[in-house]
Amino acid sequence: MGELQRLACLGVPDGGAGVRPVVWKLLLGYLPTDRGLWPYELEKKRSQYSAYKEEFLLNPSEKLRRIEESKLSRKKELNIERIGLLPRLEVTNEEHPLSSGKSSLWNQYFQESEILEQIDRDVKRTHPDISFFSAKSNQESLRRILIIFSKLNPSIRYVQGMNEVLAPLFYVFKNDPDPSSSASAEADTYFCFVELLSGFKDNYCKHLDNSSVGIRSTLSKLSQLLKRHDEELWRHMEVTTKVYPQYYAFRWITLLLTMEFSFNVCIHIWDAILGDPEGPPDTLMRICCAMLILVRKRLLAGDFTANIQLLQHYPATNIDHLLHIANRLRGTVAS
Amino acid sequence: MGSRSPGVSFKLVLLGDGRVGKTSLVLRYVNNIFSDKQEATVQASYLTKRLVVEGVPITLSIWDTAGQEKFHALGPIYYRDADAALLVYDITDSDTFVRVTKWVKELKQMASKDIVMAIAANKSDLVRLKNIETQEAVSYAESIGASLFVTSAKAGTGIDDVFSDIAKRLLEKRKNSADGLSPPQPKKGILIVDDEPEKEPPPKCCS
């Protein structure tokens, strides 16, 4: 595993065997290291995902219809001789669409519709320039994953931008040359997304914003890291020009750099983020710090406006060099 | 970049619910571009625009903020010392108008006392789907001393007007305070409608 991490940090090769999907699944701990366990583990996870789809994606009338159906079939078995009577769908008062009862399936359904609409809109706006993401079936997969995630994580639900974090995972797994893996890409992506976010989800929790684990403290960690490695640059940024990390690194961190570089470059950076033995959160922090150091000359010459605009539109850059700088900061992220 | 801009500079913040078109408005204003597939803003972006009002060169520093509720807590840093706020709602979605009224309450408590406010009734190209009566919005704007503009980032209408109105009022305010005069009375609400981009279609027979 250590060897795999070391190799992944150097970048997973794009061509040839198409190993990235398997590598990412291993690095995220979705696949166990013992290869003999893969078929069992995958089977278990994929059927669990099917169960989630059943549970969370049917609309209430479909759910009720299924409940009734099973009741009816039981009744049919009991009263097999009473043919001729039309079965009537029994809708209890509680389950009427216009009922305002709290436990009404419809009530929950309407409350959630706002989030569903938001997910829907954002999924449609995910990398509109890449044809893979315009395909209806792929958009449907992203949508289902985000809906299921939002239902299973009621404290976070859906935060705008999650679609961007989801996109690289789904893209890599769906393009797996192994057809059986590609066919199950949606389920695999769901669990890998959950794994990946486990290290980051406090950043998404509004009620943790001011806590020691929320986004603000993550941003100040970056500030401390910069101060430790390049105090001159830190002073120029935060004291002289008052360009605080909140202004530029909020998006770097919450979206795991997906919006700062082109999609392919981002996938290379993710090889390092997922592969680094220090774990994704600390690795991301070092890469962010390296991004600042890499453009330090321009930053030191810039004022507030110039610096914010530079960092909000980060210039195309040599990724190997960036990762090399990030590597040199190893072992220094404050906990 | 990097050089000090001449003339006066003001800080403006855009506020409003998610997907009402804040980013589209500001991108149309600053770069004259529009995309139907504008991605969601998760981090306030910073843009600048230079313009000349009554012979005075002005630089507007514009913070285009994120609309989703999750990002609300990070909002004060952007409006705390803003000179002006542009509040945006979507004419097809009445909830977004309610959100504007909430923002105004928050600004009154937290922002500078004499912040200049304007409201943009955006997406006027979708007038067929209109859900909020413009007159209602105008009365509201009047009640808070803001001006209201009907805009469409898509059609590119009303946008220069709203920003230059803000700039004019800011300049006026600065002149008055420089002259040591008492601040001007709050302006009456005004409605400025650019060319109607789309005529309201005659009611269809639908009985």
Side-chain angles (χ1 to χ4, degrees), chain A residues 101-126:
Chain A
K102 276 245 157 58
S103 71
S104 155
L105 290 174
W106 280 102
N107 187 293
Q108 287 174 19
Y109 186 71
F110 289 134
Q111 274 190 356
E112 283 158 6
S113 69
E114 198 180 322
I115 278 207
L116 301 188
E117 195 185 308
Q118 179 103 61
I119 289 175
D120 205 36
R121 285 178 198 241
D122 289 350
V123 161
K124 285 181 187 148
R125 305 193 282 189
T126 308

Side-chain angles (χ1 to χ4, degrees), chain A residues 152-168:
Chain A
L152 286 171
N153 294 274
S155 64
I156 307 178
R157 301 218 286 180
Y158 170 72
V159 177
Q160 282 197 310
M162 281 183 176
N163 57 319
E164 303 290 349
V165 178
L166 185 57

Side-chain angles (χ1 to χ4, degrees), chain A residues 23-296:
Chain A
V23 172
W24 281 18
K25 285 174 196 171
L26 279 165
L27 292 172
L28 283 164
Y30 177 58
L31 283 177
T33 41
D34 179 355
R35 193 171 187 155
L37 298 173
W38 289 6
Y40 168 76
E41 197 59 33
L42 287 174
E43 170 62 33
K44 197 177 77 182
K45 285 288 171 38
R46 288 167 184 171
S47 68
Q48 193 180 349
Y49 185 75
S50 301
Y52 288 156
K53 285 207 286 192
E54 284 280 307
E55 186 173 353
F56 297 120
L57 299 174
L58 296 177
N59 74 27
S61 69
E62 181 69 9
K63 256 189 209 167
L64 289 174
R65 199 182 58 77
R66 294 209 176 175
I67 293 170
E68 287 305 321
E69 236 172 39
S70 66
K71 273 191 203 159
L72 276 179
S73 64
R74 254 180 287 130
K75 263 188 202 159
K76 263 185 205 150
E77 284 159 20
L78 293 173
N79 314 326
I80 200 119
E81 69 278 7
R82 284 178 58 196
I83 29 169
L85 283 177
L86 288 174
R88 183 177 177 275
L89 210 68
E90 287 169 42
V91 179
T92 63
N93 198 27
E94 187 68 347
E95 293 305 350
H96 192 276
L98 298 178
S99 145
S100 58
K102 276 245 157 58
S103 71
S104 155
L105 290 174
W106 280 102
N107 187 293
Q108 287 174 19
Y109 186 71
F110 289 134
Q111 274 190 356
E112 283 158 6
S113 69
E114 198 180 322
I115 278 207
L116 301 188
E117 195 185 308
Q118 179 103 61
I119 289 175
D120 205 36
R121 285 178 198 241
D122 289 350
V123 161
K124 285 181 187 148
R125 305 193 282 189
T126 308
H127 299 290
D129 50 323
I130 300 175
S131 63
F132 176 85
F133 290 105
S134 325
K136 192 102 189 116
S137 64
N138 292 337
Q139 290 187 349
E140 280 301 309
S141 293
L142 295 178
R143 202 175 68 89
R144 283 193 291 266
I145 293 170
L146 290 169
I147 293 173
I148 291 173
F149 182 87
S150 75
K151 302 220 176 180
L152 286 171
N153 294 274
S155 64
I156 307 178
R157 301 218 286 180
Y158 170 72
V159 177
Q160 282 197 310
M162 281 183 176
N163 57 319
E164 303 290 349
V165 178
L166 185 57
L169 291 174
F170 184 63
Y171 180 86
V172 165
F173 297 155
K174 189 71 188 176
N175 287 306
D176 193 323
D178 169 24
S180 75
S181 298
S182 169
S184 297
E186 183 180 323
D188 296 351
T189 305
Y190 172 78
F191 290 102
C192 288
F193 182 64
V194 171
E195 283 300 330
L196 177 61
L197 246 54
S198 68
F200 292 103
K201 64 181 172 192
D202 292 343
N203 290 335
Y204 292 101
C205 282
K206 190 179 167 187
H207 66 274
L208 295 177
D209 278 351
N210 294 315
S211 77
S212 62
V213 291
I215 183 67
R216 275 181 215 260
S217 89
T218 310
L219 289 165
S220 69
K221 236 190 225 180
L222 174 61
S223 172
Q224 293 307 311
L225 190 62
L226 179 65
K227 188 177 180 187
R228 191 167 324 134
H229 289 286
D230 192 339
E231 187 155 355
E232 184 192 5
L233 180 57
W234 174 83
R235 192 168 302 283
H236 180 74
M237 297 282 286
E238 301 211 5
V239 182
T240 314
T241 58
K242 298 201 173 2
V243 177
Y244 306 116
Q246 172 172 351
Y247 294 146
Y248 57 88
F250 185 87
R251 192 175 73 184
W252 293 4
I253 291 166
T254 51
L255 302 193
L256 277 72
L257 299 174
T258 50
M259 305 293 278
E260 317 310 320
F261 302 97
S262 72
F263 191 67
N264 286 331
V265 168
C266 157
I267 283 178
H268 278 279
I269 295 179
W270 276 35
D271 288 339
I273 293 180
L274 300 182
D276 198 292
E278 284 191 355
D282 284 1
T283 308
L284 175 66
M285 207 50 64
R286 281 191 283 110
I287 296 175
C288 290
C289 187
M291 285 168 70
L292 295 169
I293 294 173
L294 199 62
V295 292
R296 75 184 301 276

Side-chain angles (χ1 to χ4, degrees), chain B residues 3-9 50-51 56-59:
Chain B
S3 62
R4 269 191 67 83
S5 26
V8 210
S9 72
R50 291 181 187 181
L51 68 164
V56 183
I58 291 181
T59 306

Side-chain angles (χ1 to χ4, degrees), chain A residues 125 160 204 248 251 312, chain B residues 38 42-44 46 68 70:
Chain A
R125 305 193 282 189
Q160 282 197 310
Y204 292 101
Y248 57 88
R251 192 175 73 184
Q312 288 198 342
Chain B
Q38 188 57 52
V42 304
Q43 166 182 276
Y46 181 80
Q68 199 192 4
K70 159 68 182 87

